[in-house]
Amino acid sequence: MNQDYITPDKWSIIEEGFDPENVESSESLFSLGNGAMGQRANFEEDYSGRTFQGSYIAGVYYPDKTRVGWWKNGYPEYFAKVLNAPNWIGIQVFINGTPLDLNTCKKISHFRRELNMKEGWYNREFAVILPNGIELAVNVTRFLSMDLDEVGAIKYKLTCLNASAEIKFVPYLDSGIKNQDSNWDDKFWNTTKIVSEGHRAFIEAHTMKTNFATCTFMESYMELNGNKLDAKPSEITGQDRVGLAYQQQVQKGDTLTLIKFGGYTVSRNHPPSKLVQVAKRNLQEATELGVERLLERQKSAWAKIWERSDITIEGDVKAQQGIRFNIYQLNQTYLGKDSRLNIGPKGFTGEKYGGSTYWDTEAYCIPFYMSTKNQQVARNLLEYRYNHLEKAIENAQKLGFSNGAALYPMVTMNGEECHNEWEITFQEIHRNGAMAFAMFNYYRYTGDYTYIAEMGLEVLIAIARFWYQRASFSTPKNKYVILGVTGPNEYENNVNNNWYTNYIAQWCINYTLEQLQKVKDGHPEDYDRVIGKTKLTAVETDQWEEVAKKMYFPYSEEHSVFLQQDGFLDKELVPAADLPKTHRPINQKWSWDRILRSPYIKQADTLQGFYFFEDHFTQKELERHFDFYEPFTVHESSLSPCVHSIQAAKLDRMEQAYDFYLRTSRLDLDDYNNEVNEGLHITSMAGTWMSIVEGFGGMRVSDDKLSFTPRIPEQWDSYSFKVDFRNRILKVTVTREDVSFDLEGADEMSIRVQGNRVVLKGRNTVKL
Amino acid sequence: MNQDYITPDKWSIIEEGFDPENVESSESLFSLGNGAMGQRANFEEDYSGRTFQGSYIAGVYYPDKTRVGWWKNGYPEYFAKVLNAPNWIGIQVFINGTPLDLNTCKKISHFRRELNMKEGWYNREFAVILPNGIELAVNVTRFLSMDLDEVGAIKYKLTCLNASAEIKFVPYLDSGIKNQDSNWDDKFWNTTKIVSEGHRAFIEAHTMKTNFATCTFMESYMELNGNKLDAKPSEITGQDRVGLAYQQQVQKGDTLTLIKFGGYTVSRNHPPSKLVQVAKRNLQEATELGVERLLERQKSAWAKIWERSDITIEGDVKAQQGIRFNIYQLNQTYLGKDSRLNIGPKGFTGEKYGGSTYWDTEAYCIPFYMSTKNQQVARNLLEYRYNHLEKAIENAQKLGFSNGAALYPMVTMNGEECHNEWEITFQEIHRNGAMAFAMFNYYRYTGDYTYIAEMGLEVLIAIARFWYQRASFSTPKNKYVILGVTGPNEYENNVNNNWYTNYIAQWCINYTLEQLQKVKDGHPEDYDRVIGKTKLTAVETDQWEEVAKKMYFPYSEEHSVFLQQDGFLDKELVPAADLPKTHRPINQKWSWDRILRSPYIKQADTLQGFYFFEDHFTQKELERHFDFYEPFTVHESSLSPCVHSIQAAKLDRMEQAYDFYLRTSRLDLDDYNNEVNEGLHITSMAGTWMSIVEGFGGMRVSDDKLSFTPRIPEQWDSYSFKVDFRNRILKVTVTREDVSFDLEGADEMSIRVQGNRVVLKGRNTVKL
């Protein structure tokens, strides 16, 4: 935990004062992104202290060779690594020849950062005394344009406070960068061409192996006290690097500003031969607009996003800051414009986890994007998996499955599995279930059945085939069992009959059988096409049905709960609260075997099933399971507190729900798990959104209608959120006394509030 | 399997004819070693075909950095890698400037290798036509001296059959070598000095990180038709390489011979500054003796070894060849002279498995060395572990254990763990039991209790502390359980209550408690010293006792067998014989998850416990367990067939026992598991020895006496073996009718034969 260094504020993330210990954490927290690229909040000027440099381009990765001590058959050949891309933000600053470096200054008398989430920009201001005695005030604003999404802008203002001096700015581009997680000191980029033309420079480089071609570009000019200078720079070219040196004599009190535009053009979006040309067009547009007008456009782009997705909380600044930070980061990461992209668990804020797509997308992110964006965005996320179906079938084949059974990868960039730990890659197979659940969830929310008919059914058949083959018959139990899996709780490996896995396997088969019938009845042409393609027979579906019908679920009569897996009760069931504080987080303090034989749960597992399939269980059952499992849950996965918050709210345990809400919404801001330096937890931020809308707001969809059971934590005066439900925008405001619904437009809309039917038109208020 | 390319022979391993596909396998099978160094049977002359180069120095290793995708707490910092050492055997050969290279010859009209195990030398002869048309006959003899164990000798004879020619020999040393398993292209050797003096040359090099200093040396001369030439060589020095070029014009039919001595001096045995000096002394001694006299000494050294350890088999050449190959390789690997060394699973024949010491030593190798060498050799092997006790305690601490609990490493060079797969390193904890079992076994056989009193008790206490802490209480079972382990069957990971592990844990505690009493009674000073040092209290031993008393063992009432682990019966119990052949070996064909959820057993697990503790179970129980588990056992560990052979013999299933015997004794010769190219399975060779002595011979020790229940496979006319029991040498010869005992010396000795007491003196024969 590092709770106190971010200043609470409704719309901004603010750090006051300079602490080198916080540099790497702040680099994560103040990250910028615009869906197409992103970067950690590294300083523009040189910094010789500890830092984690990172700049990332959406979809650009490196297939790092899988290297393990002992190879296991079935491992993928490579692990897709998120690639640190060439640096375009760098500006070296020299004052009378002395470099500006916050790590070597005599004194830092003022330091402040602000990430303005409302408007989408990042500012850093500081005042320092250099080793040579010169006192400086610096103010830097940076943003990645939502409008021109290949361009970012920096306005670097510097004032000499106590003397006149010669200032040298060297804005530069650098493609000689490495990944921090590059254990093997590999180089991932090959620089092919470095060009400078006047105020502009370009580096063409491509990634090794994947051969993504990029042009990293920049253009700069200076202003003295607001007046543009026409000083010509001199070029300084190194290996993998080009800088343009601007020199200027300034008087005491003068403000010299360097304005820099930069960014990338990439062969994912343009022909490789046109990258420089497109880069020039970008620079042309940006400089013609100028930094101020570009910033105006940035503000209005963000205003539009907030208009659809903002959640307000009155009476609790930290809670308000938390939810906006989550919504902001989700929108920096993924905007749904490019269906080849997906939502990486660290977004553009770090290297960890490699790859871009986990089951997080289907299990946690879909509801946020369905409710706050056009429904095509969620559909794109589903189509992403349909497009990877062939690869998922190949993946299953590698593991010994046949007849078109599919196992979706644990981690992927292009549909291929690119994770290589056997206990995850081969065993965390429940991910297959999330693919089917997302379809169910999408249809339930949007009412759009065409995805299932046109594409989804094929995916469902392949998944059902997998579950059928993966289950095996246990003679002593006279049931089908699923042996050797890792459930959502990754603190258990190679267990038998993980309840969640068995449950979602059974559900997948039954859901597939239902959809087969439904497509047959409603979309006979699609049905014929799919049956023809998959060669599905009645014998096969009968076999599936048999397995689903006789699926085994571990259960404790004594506790009246489903067991997370066989043998769970043999563990020493000491509640996590009884562990010494020095042992937490256990994943940083305990060896793996100790974690595995403990009862401690990384994230909701049985309770995840209760979340997905809540209609299948009574409130009493939920309560028993929550009471049984939560005390052993250490929430060391970012995906844990949100589900627990939703369920605590459902059980009317508002104090607990509120604590979990804070934990999920401020996970990174308060660094609960001591790891924010590595980057942010992006996908779980969608879970934070759910913990308000589904948790406190109690929003559900049933029978094609929204329903609400609003609750409010006692720390709050009111809160509001907005959803787009089937192309109608509904704003929900909950106060301590009532709930108001504002339906945009002239239509009527029927909903349920606390079980009662309400027909909305315009504004309606219901007493609680 | 590759059953037919080694010619059956009682005393030699013979390959006839050249097949490039067999080169790497033969390089393993024809390996040489003398306990201090060893090498694969690489060709002396250049070979451009596929080859696996390997030369190894005992105790010289490299601490390769542990690099894994996802770090787990507790992993050791490094993995000890067996290091390929500088090459001293190399001799380039040019005929009229054309290199001799078996891969580029026009024709190979004859090719034969022989490893003469009786005398300890390796010969290779071949006749070829070179690309330039010259026909050559070559005959090379090589051996590593048992007498001067830093020296090896090569006699390389070459005859031009069809023309006169100019021959150039370039004997060389090369320290620019790599490991085949060097994924990261690391260099492990740093060459510091290259010197040549006349016919001699020296390369000084040290290993990176571990800084073992070595001098690799050579001296050569030529003979023409048996007459020594005094041709001076010219030096050819490269980076990491020195060659001495000898040139000679020969006539058709002339035989030109290059004699080369070479080897290593190492800082493990000499001060680093003296390595060259000692190397010169070695060369002086070797050249003064000459190759023929050195070979005579070699023959008599091996005669002495065979005198004590030979096993004869009449009527079955393949079986005879097999057992001698096993005994020969064990003696090439470890002679018991240096107590810092141990028995590496691949000896000096390959790189796989890294490290030198596994539980194989305690579980499989001790009986062989106890019976065929002076008992000090076995005691050295025990002391090796005593010397590592502090490191084993540190290792346990890293995993969260306390109060002096020890976990011996899975793999080690110097006492530190150097293996890094969680399911093995952290979970295959049964190895701790083997340490205690070896003490029990050593005392049972030798009657020497001083080891336990002086050293062993401390080890036992530390191991008992580990088991006490590692067990946990299961409320539903009302028993102590051991969760999350890997048993001897590594095809199961992270299982609960592996029967073997629980059983040996219980036994360790009980055995420790007994030894505490025994040392207290018989060696009170040792007792006081050990109690003072370990601060052991009565409270602690009471706690141990409680855990041992209430240890849980999984059991099936239906099958009346102990279950290998909880849940074993939930698997699909399809016998291994029903698997399609194309699926075998499963570790090369199946993904790891598929193996884990299958019932297939890599090596004896429950049956290993029945082997160690056979007195605890009835013959009927053994039979039930054998019948239950053997059908699922795929014997993909080299350590499996020997235990099964012994138990099949005990059950009087001689046909099966014989099959297992062939499989264990000819595992490498017939390449059962398709991997002999990687090196030989050394430690299991001691198991082969047991399968004759304990299996067919039925030798046991009880009440300080040997007992025998001899059986003979119907394929054999007779067999004999010799054991040293408490300094008396007894030869046992079993024919189809009777068993004879030849006791050396004038003493009497009381034994049991088929349950009956027999007092031996000189030769005694008992009818069967």
Side-chain angles (χ1 to χ4, degrees), chain A residues 65 67-74 79 183-184 352-353 358 398-401 419-423 426-427 469-477 481 483-484 492-497 558 566-567 569-572 586-597, chain B residues 65 67-74 79 183-184 352-353 358 398-401 419-423 426-427 469-477 481 483-484 492-497 558 566-567 569-572 586-597:
Chain A
K65 192 178 151 196
R67 298 194 252 204
V68 292
W70 292 74
W71 187 268
K72 315 271 203 238
N73 291 324
F79 178 86
N183 270 336
W184 345 96
K352 208 177 165 182
Y353 297 125
Y358 286 60
K398 278 184 203 160
L399 304 185
F401 298 88
H419 184 94
N420 52 23
E421 283 189 306
W422 64 264
E423 64 273 19
F426 298 161
Q427 294 205 326
Q469 292 176 34
R470 187 60 169 74
S472 58
F473 190 73
S474 159
T475 307
K477 296 192 160 70
V481 292
L483 304 180
E492 300 276 1
N493 296 153
N494 195 39
V495 298
N496 295 334
N497 295 309
E558 187 195 340
D566 284 351
L569 293 179
D570 282 330
K571 290 166 177 272
E572 286 189 306
I586 60 171
N587 72 5
Q588 291 172 21
K589 303 298 171 63
W590 282 9
S591 69
W592 191 244
D593 58 316
R594 193 174 181 185
I595 291 175
L596 291 179
R597 65 180 181 271
Chain B
K65 193 177 152 198
R67 300 194 251 205
V68 292
W70 293 73
W71 186 268
K72 314 272 201 239
N73 291 322
F79 178 85
N183 269 336
W184 345 97
K352 207 178 166 181
Y353 296 126
Y358 285 61
K398 276 183 205 161
L399 303 186
F401 297 89
H419 185 94
N420 51 22
E421 282 188 306
W422 66 265
E423 64 273 19
F426 298 161
Q427 296 206 324
Q469 292 175 36
R470 187 59 170 75
S472 58
F473 191 73
S474 160
T475 307
K477 295 192 162 72
V481 291
L483 305 179
E492 299 276 0
N493 296 154
N494 195 41
V495 298
N496 295 334
N497 296 308
E558 186 194 342
D566 284 352
L569 293 179
D570 281 330
K571 291 165 177 271
E572 286 189 306
I586 60 172
N587 71 5
Q588 291 172 22
K589 303 297 172 63
W590 281 10
S591 72
W592 191 244
D593 58 315
R594 191 173 182 186
I595 291 175
L596 290 178
R597 66 180 180 271

Side-chain angles (χ1 to χ4, degrees), chain A residues 139-182:
Chain A
N139 186 310
V140 197
T141 300
R142 190 162 98 207
F143 59 95
L144 301 185
S145 173
M146 299 292 272
D147 206 47
L148 298 178
D149 70 5
E150 295 173 321
V151 176
I154 301 168
K155 189 168 184 179
Y156 198 104
K157 290 165 68 176
L158 185 150
T159 309
C160 275
L161 299 174
N162 67 339
S164 60
E166 195 193 53
I167 313 285
K168 184 160 83 172
F169 284 124
V170 187
Y172 64 88
L173 304 175
D174 180 9
S175 57
I177 44 85
K178 287 189 173 177
N179 265 40
Q180 199 186 51
D181 68 359
S182 167

Side-chain angles (χ1 to χ4, degrees), chain B residues 217-238:
Chain B
F217 57 83
M218 69 170 179
E219 177 166 348
S220 309
Y221 64 90
M222 286 198 297
E223 288 177 355
L224 182 60
N225 299 324
N227 302 312
K228 187 168 178 179
L229 301 174
D230 60 356
K232 291 276 166 290
S234 56
E235 184 188 316
I236 309 166
T237 305

